[in-house]
Amino acid sequence: TKQLLAQSSFDVDAIVRADLANIFARAIDRAVIHGAGTNEPTGIYAASGVNLIDMGGTGTVPTLAKLVDMTGAVADANADYGPMGFVTTPLIAATLMRTLVASSAGSDMIWTGTYEEGRMAGYRALATNQVSKVMLDSATTGGAEHGIAFANWAEVLIGLWNSMELVVDQYSQKKKAVIEVTAFQMIDILLRHASSFCKSHNAIP
């Protein structure tokens, strides 16, 4: 609104730009994981040829052995180089934070560290709500599965054509003293080699 722009206590323009940039960044992250390939890029869960490890389903917490199997699938494809790591949901991370590697004295938890700077099976692990917790097989919605992906993240190529474009319309809603801002950005995503990625199936905390 014009009233908001009239305030001098903070930079409204910078706040709006930052908010819009964050929206685009989250959309790109989601597309890397769950892009369906129709009117959007193809992400890890929709791409053909991506390694798949079954976690066991309801009542079976993902085990260290299954997580190591994910890393092994990528290593077996000679893709174990560069920035390797896991990404999953906060609820999976929380479950693994309280799950012992082995039921013996001195055993550590499967997930150590924070949600943003965790470690699993020797690799960095990140928890984010960009990963779906209502999956059905590889579909983003329709069930109760949580996504877990392990990858050589250098194999994700993100193409950006120009920077974020803002279209400012001061006239369409002028009688309401409202300025309309539309953001536009052209991007595409490519998984260079599908075998550099591994996705989970039946991961339910």
Side-chain angles (χ1 to χ4, degrees), residues 25 57 76 117 183:
D76 187 56
E117 293 288 342

Side-chain angles (χ1 to χ4, degrees), residues 119-194:
R119 301 285 296 181
M120 286 200 304
Y123 293 94
R124 185 183 177 190
L126 169 70
T128 171
N129 284 313
Q130 298 294 80
V131 181
S132 175
K133 59 184 177 183
V134 290
M135 297 185 65
L136 179 62
D137 296 328
S138 290
T140 310
T141 59
E145 298 176 30
H146 291 231
I148 305 174
F150 177 79
N152 171 7
W153 297 103
E155 292 283 87
V156 179
L157 300 184
I158 300 175
L160 300 174
W161 287 266
N162 210 342
S163 58
M164 181 178 69
E165 177 184 349
L166 295 180
V167 179
V168 181
D169 180 357
Q170 304 181 58
Y171 307 106
S172 296
Q173 301 192 60
K174 60 183 180 296
K175 292 182 178 180
K176 298 179 182 179
V178 170
I179 298 172
E180 183 179 63
V181 179
T182 301
F184 180 78
Q185 186 166 12
M186 292 185 292
I187 72 153
D188 201 1
I189 294 168
L190 174 68
L191 309 182
R192 289 191 66 208
H193 302 101

Side-chain angles (χ1 to χ4, degrees), residues 49-133:
V50 171
N51 298 293
L52 174 65
I53 298 294
D54 194 314
M55 290 290 157
T58 305
T60 304
V61 174
T63 63
L64 179 64
K66 293 289 187 180
L67 297 168
V68 170
D69 286 346
M70 294 182 75
T71 69
V74 173
D76 187 56
N78 295 320
D80 55 332
Y81 62 89
M84 310 284 290
F86 290 93
V87 63
T88 187
T89 67
L91 292 180
I92 286 286
T95 297
L96 297 179
M97 284 178 183
R98 60 178 187 271
T99 302
L100 291 170
V101 170
S103 56
S104 57
S107 177
D108 209 341
M109 301 299 176
I110 293 177
W111 182 299
T112 59
T114 66
Y115 292 104
E116 294 184 351
E117 293 288 342
R119 301 285 296 181
M120 286 200 304
Y123 293 94
R124 185 183 177 190
L126 169 70
T128 171
N129 284 313
Q130 298 294 80
V131 181
S132 175
K133 59 184 177 183

